[in-house]
């Protein structure tokens, strides 16, 4: 199911403007980039997302496009993007974003630019629910405070908080369902606060998945302190190294992919998953950095669940485990060993995709290819090997 994301960055940010020096919150700089870019980078790390539509205030659109070009040139988002103007209401901005989606898009994630702390794990939960048959799915957290319904200054009731949830973004939808619901919304002039509400008014059921307590929205001046604390709180770190190796034989099987990039004309590979030998080696190297065993323990080739699965999804899951362990990747060095095919035309594409999947800068990733001078398994064109080294910092203790 081809998935694109819509990042909503079209708000006025009036509640934060004074505290942020007059800057709209989506353009606030954090870790050297605006908030809207951080959301896009997280989405780009998910192997199942193919592109993003940014929605900006009309008066900021051209400047934002230029800013995006500069960010993408030096930081490699690694997937196509489009920037369009928003509308007066949130629902109008979403509608404009929907009209900019490519025809082949089947599922869509709608996310608020002011939530920069979401993780790829949350995105994958939403996509899993859509794959499982949901038409709409949203992240939800249990409500811990007692909630009162009021009429003016008088309490009129106390809802059972066991039936209440606090809702976050991104929210995921089947694209055709969301488009049809928004068409009706515009015709009937509904007033809604999120896209799940559009489906609810159209009588379409919406599922929930577990949200993330850290996935907060930067809304009020005091929320800016959370950006500062995220930047300043750093535990003592120790350097670690992980090493990975993988090999696949050629034969009738899967079309060749390396680093998540299809290799046209390459030999087919015999494999249970998609046979991406490079991402398998890289996944093992990441596991080495956190003492996490090997790829076969986590994704056994005896399980039907992983039959022809994208190796990018496996890398996503391990990268999530590494992030939860506090790992900070400093460098990735990978080598493909094969007599055929010639990989020179694809090395830059592979590098960009690894940067995208692991949220790394180009200087942090190196991709090499070599042969074994017609010797041995690869030299006889019987198969392909890959090795990967990951250097990183891990919290001490």
């Amino acid at each position: 199911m081809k998935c694109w994301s819509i990042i909503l960055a079209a708000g006025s940010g009036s509640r934060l403007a004074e505290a942020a020096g007059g800057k709209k919150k989506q353009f606030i700089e954090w870790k050297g980039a605006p908030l809207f870019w951080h959301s896009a980078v997280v989405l780009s790390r998910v192997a199942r997302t193919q592109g993003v539509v940014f929605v900006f205030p009309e008066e900021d659109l051209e400047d934002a496009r230029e800013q995006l070009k500069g960010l993408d040139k030096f930081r490699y988002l690694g997937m196509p993007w489009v920037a369009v103007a928003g509308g007066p209401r949130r629902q109008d901005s979403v509608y404009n974003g929907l009209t900019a989606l490519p025809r082949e898009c089947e599922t869509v994630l709608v996310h608020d630019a002011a939530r920069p702390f979401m993780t790829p794990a949350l995105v994958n939960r939403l996509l899993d629910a859509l794959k499982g048959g949901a038409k709409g799915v949203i992240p939800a957290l249990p409500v811990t405070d007692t909630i009162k319904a009021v009429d003016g200054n008088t309490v009129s009731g106390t809802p059972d908080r066991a039936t209440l949830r606090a809702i976050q973004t991104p929210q995921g939808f089947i694209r055709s369902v969301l488009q049809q619901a928004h068409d009706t919304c515009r015709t009937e002039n509904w007033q809604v606060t999120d896209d799940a509400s559009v489906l609810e008014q159209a009588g379409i059921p919406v599922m929930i998945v577990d949200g993330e307590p850290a996935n907060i929205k930067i809304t009020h001046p005091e929320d800016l302190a959370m950006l500062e604390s995220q930047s300043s709180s750093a535990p003592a770190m120790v350097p670690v190294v992980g090493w990975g190796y993988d090999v696949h034989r050629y034969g009738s099987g899967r079309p060749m992919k390396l680093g998540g990039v299809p290799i046209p004309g390459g030999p087919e590979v015999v494999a249970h998953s998609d046979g991406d030998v490079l991402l398998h080696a890289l996944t093992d190297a990441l596991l080495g950095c956190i003492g996490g065993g090997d790829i076969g323990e986590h994704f056994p080739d005896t399980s039907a669940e992983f039959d022809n699965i994208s190796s990018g999804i496996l890398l996503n899951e391990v990268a999530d485990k590494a992030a939860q362990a506090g790992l900070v990747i400093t460098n990735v060095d990978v080598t493909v060993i094969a007599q055929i095919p010639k990989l020179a035309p694809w090395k830059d594409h592979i590098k960009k995709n690894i940067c995208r999947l692991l949220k790394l800068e180009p200087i942090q990733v190196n991709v090499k290819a070599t042969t074994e001078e017609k010797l041995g398994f690869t030299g006889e064109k019987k198969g392909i090997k890959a090795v990967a080294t990951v250097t990183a910092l891990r919290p001490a203790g």
Side-chain angles (χ1 to χ4, degrees):
M1 301 174 73
K2 296 186 184 300
C3 178
W4 275 58
S5 304
I6 297 173
I7 294 181
L8 298 174
S12 62
S14 55
R15 281 173 287 189
L16 261 178
E18 184 176 350
K23 188 175 286 189
K24 295 171 184 174
K25 63 185 176 183
Q26 62 269 40
F27 297 108
I28 292 173
E29 293 280 323
W30 178 51
K31 294 184 177 180
L35 285 188
F36 69 78
W37 180 257
H38 290 281
S39 296
V41 169
V42 174
L43 289 163
S44 76
R45 287 183 58 200
V46 178
R48 287 182 283 181
T49 60
Q50 278 86 42
V52 60
V53 175
F54 295 93
V55 187
F56 294 110
E58 187 170 8
E59 65 273 18
D60 298 315
L61 180 58
E62 291 309 314
D63 287 344
R65 277 202 183 112
E66 290 305 308
Q67 190 174 21
L68 275 168
K69 289 175 184 176
L71 288 164
D72 200 26
K73 180 178 179 180
F74 295 106
R75 301 189 180 213
Y76 291 140
L77 190 60
M79 60 184 185
W81 57 265
V82 178
V84 299
R89 300 170 298 178
R90 185 186 190 279
Q91 63 205 66
D92 301 318
S93 294
V94 174
Y95 188 86
N96 291 356
L98 286 170
T99 62
L101 292 171
R103 182 178 300 175
E104 65 270 16
C105 171
E106 300 169 284
T107 58
V108 60
L109 301 173
V110 182
H111 184 58
D112 294 326
R115 290 186 189 268
F117 305 125
M118 66 165 172
T119 69
L122 173 58
V123 178
N124 277 314
R125 284 198 294 275
L126 295 166
L127 294 178
D128 286 342
L130 292 173
K131 184 179 179 182
K135 292 182 172 61
V137 57
I138 55 178
L141 292 174
V143 174
T144 55
D145 293 329
T146 296
I147 305 297
K148 298 289 185 181
V150 298
D151 182 5
N153 293 325
T154 304
V155 172
S156 60
T158 306
D160 180 2
R161 67 185 179 191
T163 68
L164 302 175
R165 294 293 184 271
I167 302 307
Q168 303 176 321
T169 69
Q171 300 184 355
F173 306 93
I174 300 299
R175 185 257 187 96
S176 59
V177 172
L178 184 61
Q179 182 70 65
Q180 185 174 3
H182 265 280
D183 288 340
T184 305
C185 178
R186 288 170 70 84
T187 301
E188 301 294 331
N189 197 28
W190 295 339
Q191 301 299 315
V192 296
T193 56
D194 69 352
D195 295 279
S197 301
V198 181
L199 264 67
E200 292 162 31
Q201 291 207 44
I204 300 167
V206 178
M207 282 184 57
I208 63 170
V209 296
D210 289 340
E212 295 176 333
N215 183 25
I216 58 99
K217 186 176 182 180
I218 305 299
T219 304
H220 303 285
E222 55 268 26
D223 296 336
L224 295 175
M226 283 182 272
L227 295 178
E228 295 170 7
S229 65
Q230 286 271 348
S231 300
S232 61
S233 57
M237 306 290 274
V238 295
V240 293
V241 178
W243 189 80
Y245 169 86
D246 197 37
V247 58
H248 283 298
R249 64 185 175 90
Y250 294 151
S252 180
R254 313 294 191 197
M256 179 176 282
K257 288 173 68 177
L258 291 172
V261 176
I263 309 297
E268 290 190 352
V269 176
V270 177
H272 183 67
S273 67
D274 67 357
D276 192 326
V277 66
L278 181 54
L279 289 190
H280 292 177
L282 182 52
T283 300
D284 261 345
L286 264 183
L287 286 167
C289 288
I290 60 172
D294 61 56
I295 192 171
E297 296 173 30
H298 295 267
F299 314 108
D301 61 9
T302 54
S303 172
E305 179 184 357
F306 306 116
D307 182 30
N308 201 25
I309 193 170
S310 165
S311 296
I313 295 174
L314 308 185
L315 180 63
N316 276 166
E317 291 199 17
V318 170
D320 284 340
K321 294 179 189 294
Q324 289 163 16
L327 193 77
V328 178
I329 300 171
T330 56
N331 197 73
V332 169
D333 192 20
V334 296
T335 303
V336 178
I337 305 157
Q339 199 69 36
I340 56 171
K342 298 297 183 184
L343 295 179
W346 311 108
K347 285 167 59 179
D348 191 51
H349 296 282
I350 293 169
K351 175 175 177 170
K352 288 181 179 180
N353 204 45
I354 292 173
C355 288
R356 175 178 77 90
L357 290 172
L358 294 181
K359 198 178 177 182
L360 299 175
E361 302 294 340
I363 198 172
Q364 295 176 281
V365 176
N366 191 47
V367 177
K368 306 188 296 289
T370 188
T371 70
E372 290 184 307
E373 297 294 335
K374 300 184 179 179
L375 298 174
F377 174 76
T378 64
E380 295 174 9
K381 303 178 183 178
K382 293 181 179 178
I384 188 168
K385 303 175 185 176
V387 293
T389 302
V390 174
T391 56
L393 297 172
R394 191 176 65 202

